[in-house]
């Protein structure tokens, strides 16, 4: 029997997983800590009264089934998602519960649409991949900026970070993710040209005008599934790109009681139709920490009926994008209208 207040978090002891667990706790949910490392699960759950612990491995379907049994949804925070997404989605389908993840990689997101949409519709559940800073947030901003337009000539998403101190998980995913990066051209997904296109982008303060390079992640995969646009590309500021490529860049360091780093960000969507341009952005602190309220807000909307459909869904298609973003403002996101 499903307990509608219990949520399974796979990878609950990871960097992002810990933020997700705390967000769930603050919103009154009971967490089932799931993952392959029994000791780390017990240590993470020790500070959560009433929490359940289930050791589970992606290569052991029975352990996944036991981990998800009785839960209302599963949140997958354990990358690389090229390894974990498919086994967890299949376990969610067997359990008949919603699945959400935080994938930044394009290929597991595309595979979720191609392989599991029909099965999820038949099961009456939603599979929502990439519900995170990279992926879902950009998709929501672009969808909200599009507004009453039914199509666009171009969609651009740009990210500026004052620094990027990658987690161990980010580094492992980067090493494993050898798939070619895709952008949208002529309404089709095509390989990003080499060298990556670059340009300047006018961000709000404290960033100002920044040199950015095309670094498309899972937001392009999401956009390709529901927005009508001739082209779409995503950019990252050059300084952050150097940070994440430098093996000596340290991991994030907590600077408050909630575990957030001092990192600040801006992310902006620019949608063009003819000569008309619409820009919508969001500012905040710590890209890993802000993923938690994005993910949990999406899960709550699935469970309380504020989701538009079933099957594999992009964030901007699953939810009312403007309403979703407004629910997270002014904290943890401060929304703004950009200018050319």
């Amino acid at each position: 029997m499903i307990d509608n207040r219990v949520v399974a978090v796979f990878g609950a002891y990871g960097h992002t997983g810990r933020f997700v667990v705390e967000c769930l706790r603050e919103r009154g949910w009971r967490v089932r800590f799931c993952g392959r490392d029994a000791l780390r699960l017990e240590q993470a759950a020790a500070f959560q009264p009433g929490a359940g612990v289930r050791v589970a491995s992606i290569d052991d379907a029975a352990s996944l089934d036991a981990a998800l049994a009785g839960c209302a949804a599963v949140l997958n925070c354990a990358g690389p998602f090229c390894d974990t997404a498919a086994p967890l989605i299949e376990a969610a389908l067997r359990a008949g519960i919603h699945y959400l993840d935080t994938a930044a990689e394009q290929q597991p997101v595309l595979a979720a649409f191609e392989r599991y949409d029909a099965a999820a519709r038949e099961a009456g559940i939603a599979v929502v991949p990439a519900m995170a800073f990279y992926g879902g947030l950009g998709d929501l901003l672009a969808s909200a900026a599009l507004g009453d337009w039914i199509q666009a000539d171009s969609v651009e998403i740009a990210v500026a970070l004052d620094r990027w101190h990658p987690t161990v998980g980010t580094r492992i995913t980067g090493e494993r993710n050898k798939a070619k990066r895709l952008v949208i051209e002529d309404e089709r997904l095509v390989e990003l040209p080499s060298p990556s296109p670059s340009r300047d982008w006018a961000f709000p303060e404290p960033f100002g005008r920044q040199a950015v390079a095309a670094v498309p992640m899972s937001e392009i995969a999401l956009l390709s599934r529901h927005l009508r646009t001739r082209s779409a590309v995503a950019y990252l500021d050059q300084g952050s790109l150097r940070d994440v490529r430098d093996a000596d860049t340290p991991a994030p360091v907590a600077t408050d009681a909630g575990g957030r780093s001092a990192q600040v960000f801006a992310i902006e969507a620019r949608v063009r139709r003819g000569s008309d341009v619409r820009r919508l952005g969001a500012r905040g602190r710590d890209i890993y920490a802000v993923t938690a309220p994005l993910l949990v807000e999406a899960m709550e909307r699935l469970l309380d009926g504020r989701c538009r459909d079933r099957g594999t869904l992009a964030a901007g298609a699953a939810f009312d994008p403007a309403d979703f973003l407004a629910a997270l403002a002014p904290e943890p996101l401060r929304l703004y209208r950009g200018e050319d």
Side-chain angles (χ1 to χ4, degrees), residues 19-20 23 27 288-298 324 328 332:
F19 287 120
V20 170
C23 185
R27 295 192 182 201
Y288 298 106
V290 81
T291 286
L294 285 162
L295 185 66
V296 174
E297 180 72 21
F324 191 109
L328 300 180

Side-chain angles (χ1 to χ4, degrees), residues 270-334:
R270 180 183 188 273
V271 178
R272 182 182 63 82
R273 187 181 68 174
S275 61
D276 293 329
V277 174
R278 294 176 174 177
R279 295 177 68 154
L280 180 62
R283 292 178 290 175
R285 177 178 165 195
D286 194 324
I287 62 173
Y288 298 106
V290 81
T291 286
L294 285 162
L295 185 66
V296 174
E297 180 72 21
M299 181 206 74
E300 291 183 334
R301 288 174 180 246
L302 289 177
L303 293 173
D304 68 16
R306 288 179 291 164
C307 178
R308 292 169 167 171
D309 204 351
R310 291 294 184 263
T312 304
L313 303 170
F319 312 110
D320 178 326
D323 183 70
F324 191 109
L325 291 167
L328 300 180
E331 287 291 339
L333 296 176
R334 297 185 298 281

Side-chain angles (χ1 to χ4, degrees), residues 80-144:
F81 293 91
C82 58
D83 296 331
T84 66
L88 262 295
I89 293 172
E90 290 169 9
L93 286 166
R94 293 192 297 271
I97 62 175
H98 300 304
Y99 167 94
L100 305 92
D101 70 33
T102 59
E105 309 105 293
Q106 293 180 336
Q107 291 306 314
V109 174
L110 291 171
F113 283 95
E114 293 162 1
R115 295 174 57 183
Y116 299 114
D117 178 58
R121 288 180 182 278
E122 184 176 351
I125 68 168
V127 171
V128 183
M131 196 59 243
F133 176 84
Y134 288 114
L137 181 52
D139 184 59
L140 286 165
L141 288 167
S143 300

